[in-house]
Amino acid sequence: MAKESYFSLQHSESVVAGMSATIFAAYVQNKEVNELNEDEFVKKAVDIAVKLASYADKVVKSDGEWMKQEGGSSAIL
């Protein structure tokens, strides 16, 4: 029987995991992944997903980051 794993990911972690899976799938589809380099491509996919998410966070402001907050203060851009 396979060992069971349980995760409790935060929303942003789930988003990055999904992005990583998409990137990793592209490597698999291009036949770049094998048993010997699988860990390397998993790391590479996660690193790229984090880089993409980090850049998006830097250039895109969500409602909570720029809208005037109740109580009179507003976020600084």
Side-chain angles (χ1 to χ4, degrees), residues 13 21 26 42 48:
E13 294 168 332
V42 167
I48 291 170

Side-chain angles (χ1 to χ4, degrees), residues 30-47:
N30 286 332
K31 299 181 179 14
E32 296 180 50
V33 179
N34 60 51
E35 289 181 9
L36 299 176
N37 67 8
E38 183 180 67
D39 290 344
E40 174 187 338
F41 277 95
V42 167
K43 182 182 181 325
K44 188 174 183 176
V46 172
D47 288 347

Side-chain angles (χ1 to χ4, degrees), residues 18-74:
M19 292 168 60
S20 301
T22 301
I23 295 165
F24 184 77
Y27 290 133
V28 170
Q29 189 173 18
N30 286 332
K31 299 181 179 14
E32 296 180 50
V33 179
N34 60 51
E35 289 181 9
L36 299 176
N37 67 8
E38 183 180 67
D39 290 344
E40 174 187 338
F41 277 95
V42 167
K43 182 182 181 325
K44 188 174 183 176
V46 172
D47 288 347
I48 291 170
V50 168
K51 190 177 203 177
L52 289 167
S54 181
Y55 181 72
D57 186 48
K58 187 168 101 174
V59 299
V60 178
K61 298 300 176 201
S62 67
D63 293 347
E65 291 176 314
W66 66 270
M67 291 182 72
K68 188 172 183 175
Q69 302 293 320
E70 289 184 34
S73 63
S74 61

Side-chain angles (χ1 to χ4, degrees), residues 7-25:
F7 297 97
S8 179
L9 300 176
Q10 298 294 319
H11 178 69
S12 59
E13 294 168 332
S14 295
V15 170
V16 171
M19 292 168 60
S20 301
T22 301
I23 295 165
F24 184 77

